[in-house]
Amino acid sequence: IKAAACSPAVVATHRRARAAHADHVYPYSRGGPTVLSNGAALCAYHNLRKSDRIPSPWYVHRIEQSRRSYYPPGVDPTVRWS
């Protein structure tokens, strides 16, 4: 499983963490909606580490860049929270 926040080097470190978690990029507990554009797959390590933090612009940019590699053409990879 390639998680949105894991770089290749990190994935090698977390090989045992094969289960992915469905995550709200902008936390549900802080008003983030449960919509596909606010979702990401994270390895268990990164999801639990992220907790309910508001993501930095860099973090959101990394998720959007990752989405461009697997979203079908014409589908907007932008993270939306409102």
Side-chain angles (χ1 to χ4, degrees):
I1 295 170
K2 181 181 178 201
C6 292
S7 69
V10 173
V11 169
T13 305
H14 300 139
R15 286 195 190 272
R16 289 180 293 175
R18 295 190 189 276
H21 286 194
D23 178 53
H24 288 83
V25 177
Y26 286 86
Y28 180 78
S29 64
R30 297 193 177 218
T34 302
V35 295
L36 187 58
S37 61
N38 188 40
L42 296 181
C43 69
Y45 172 81
H46 278 108
N47 191 35
L48 296 173
R49 186 167 179 248
K50 178 182 172 277
S51 187
D52 69 342
R53 294 185 193 119
I54 300 292
S56 69
W58 175 85
Y59 180 87
V60 173
H61 174 75
R62 289 243 354 232
I63 289 173
E64 291 172 346
Q65 288 297 103
S66 176
R67 286 177 175 180
R68 284 184 176 88
S69 71
Y70 60 85
Y71 270 30
V75 177
D76 185 9
T78 305
V79 173
R80 299 197 192 286
W81 61 93
S82 59

